Amino acid sequence: MKWLVASIFMAFIASCGQAVRECPACKPQVIEKPIVTKCEVPEVPPAELEKIQEKDTYEERLRKLIKNYGLLKEENTLLRRAIEICK
């Protein structure tokens, strides 16, 4: 009698062990979600600034500073437009 109960119990445990391995819910699933992008950021080239050197005169330094300021202001405007497009 004990052998019969033990063999039934072992068969039950062995059958459940196989069922768990073949379970489709136990397999890992990959869920892909699309990423929505509003727009592509346009490329804004960096400004080519003039280098200010120690040997430059006061007038030359002032001219370079004013020119660099204008170039940076243009670049800033382009970058702000790019940000507005992507909002």
Side-chain angles (χ1 to χ4, degrees):
M1 185 67 175
K2 289 181 183 180
W3 287 100
L4 181 62
V5 172
S7 62
I8 292 174
F9 183 69
M10 292 301 279
F12 180 72
I13 290 175
S15 66
C16 289
Q18 292 173 356
V20 171
R21 286 186 210 131
E22 297 174 8
C23 175
C26 299
K27 294 180 182 177
Q29 296 178 356
V30 177
I31 300 173
E32 294 184 13
K33 293 184 181 179
I35 298 175
V36 179
T37 57
K38 291 184 180 180
C39 70
E40 298 228 2
V41 179
E43 184 146 344
V44 178
E48 295 179 15
L49 305 176
E50 288 190 35
K51 300 214 186 244
I52 300 172
Q53 299 174 356
E54 289 289 327
K55 64 180 179 176
D56 291 339
T57 63
Y58 177 78
E59 290 82 15
E60 188 68 20
R61 287 183 188 186
L62 185 60
R63 185 196 61 77
K64 287 181 181 181
L65 282 173
I66 293 171
K67 184 176 179 184
N68 288 347
Y69 172 76
L71 292 172
L72 290 173
K73 191 173 179 183
E74 249 181 72
E75 182 182 358
N76 188 18
T77 305
L78 292 173
L79 289 170
R80 287 191 186 277
R81 282 189 200 149
I83 290 171
E84 287 296 321
I85 290 171
C86 290
K87 279 188 178 181

